[in-house]
Amino acid sequence: MPPGLFVTGTDTDVGKTYVAARLAERLRGEGRTVGVYKPACSGAEVFHGEPVWGDVEALRSAVERPVAEDDLICPQRFVAPLAPPIAAAREGRTVDAELLTTAARRWADRCDVLIAEGAGGLLCPLALPEDGPAVTVLDVAAALGYPLLIVARAGLGTVNHTLLTLAVAQARGLPVAGVVLNEIDAREREVATNAAMIERCGGVPVLGVIPPGGELPEALNGSLCRPPVSIN
C-alpha cells in the first residue's frame, strides 16, 4: 500500500469529506497521484431515479476520476441515511466486513498516496457479522494502519468529543497525525481556547482551523501521509 492518511471525525457532519477532498486536491497540486477511499457510505439523494452519494461525488471530483470508478472509491454504498449495516438491511443486503479493508488494496498500483475517509466517528459500526463482533471505523482504520487526522467542530463541546476520540484511538495504538478544527458555525468563537485545551489535555497538535467554507491550514499537507504500520 502507498503512504496515506485516514481522515476521521468526532461525529457525523463535522466536515470529514470536505477535508479529505481539499487535501486530495492539495496533494495533486504538489504533483502527487492521489487515491481516495471510503469503505462504506450511506445516505443518497435520488436524481432521475438514480442514487447519488454526495461524499463519493466530492471525493471523485477532487481526484478527477470517472463515474465508472465509484466502486473503486467506495465499494459499498447504501441509500438510507442510516448507519451502513442498518441502511444495508433496508435494501435486503449486508455489509461485507472483509471488503471494507481489502478493497483499499485496489489502489496499490493506481496512486502514490491514498486518502481514506471513515463514516461518522471511530466507533461507528460499519458491519454487523452474524458470526462475530461488530466491525467499526476504528477496526478499518487499524487494519489500514495509516495515521489519523481527526476533524472536529470548533465550537462548544468539541473538547470532550475530541478527547474521547483521541482516547479511543490511543487505546488501540493508532498513530494520530493531529486534529483540525472546522468552523461549521461562524458564530462559535471559542476556537483558540478549545485548540489550546485539546493540545494540552490530548497531547496531540491542533494543526489549524478551517473557516466556514475556507481553505485548509498549511499544516495539512503531504508530510502527514505515512506508510501503513501494523496495529494489533
Side-chain angles (χ1 to χ4, degrees):
M1 292 292 290
L5 189 69
F6 194 100
V7 180
T8 189
T10 55
D11 198 355
T12 192
D13 293 332
V14 294
K16 295 186 300 296
T17 302
Y18 183 84
V19 170
R22 300 292 80 74
L23 180 57
E25 291 173 345
R26 176 170 289 180
L27 294 173
R28 289 182 64 234
E30 296 174 2
R32 311 291 292 272
T33 302
V34 185
V36 284
Y37 179 69
K38 191 175 179 80
C41 184
S42 54
E45 295 185 65
V46 178
F47 295 96
H48 306 293
E50 294 296 327
V52 176
W53 288 267
D55 288 0
V56 178
E57 287 287 303
L59 294 173
R60 178 166 53 78
S61 177
V63 293
E64 296 186 352
R65 292 276 178 170
V67 175
E69 292 192 357
D70 280 1
D71 283 342
L72 179 66
I73 295 169
C74 184
Q76 302 190 74
R77 306 184 299 278
F78 310 99
V79 175
L82 304 166
I86 307 304
R90 291 280 181 94
E91 301 175 25
R93 303 164 60 193
T94 58
V95 178
D96 184 327
E98 183 177 358
L99 188 62
L100 292 169
T101 300
T102 59
R105 298 173 190 160
R106 299 171 184 171
W107 282 103
D109 59 354
R110 299 171 185 258
C111 65
D112 55 41
V113 63
L114 180 63
I115 303 300
E117 182 207 342
L122 282 180
L123 294 183
C124 177
L126 295 179
L128 298 172
E130 292 184 0
D131 57 350
V135 178
T136 65
V137 173
L138 178 68
D139 296 319
V140 175
L144 294 181
Y146 290 135
L148 298 180
L149 174 63
I150 298 172
V151 183
R153 290 183 174 85
L156 187 66
T158 196
V159 173
N160 179 62
H161 295 160
T162 305
L163 295 180
L164 286 171
T165 300
L166 285 169
V168 167
Q170 291 164 350
R172 188 65 175 267
L174 272 68
V176 178
V179 174
V180 61
L181 298 179
N182 190 15
E183 283 191 291
I184 298 170
D185 188 339
R187 296 171 296 177
E188 297 176 331
R189 295 264 58 105
E190 294 301 316
V191 177
T193 56
N194 284 341
M197 195 171 297
I198 289 168
E199 287 192 330
R200 178 175 179 180
C201 299
V204 299
V206 174
L207 300 171
V209 180
I210 306 171
E215 292 295 319
L216 301 187
E218 289 300 320
L220 270 65
N221 54 47
S223 68
L224 299 177
C225 300
R226 294 284 186 270
V229 296
S230 178
I231 307 294
N232 294 325

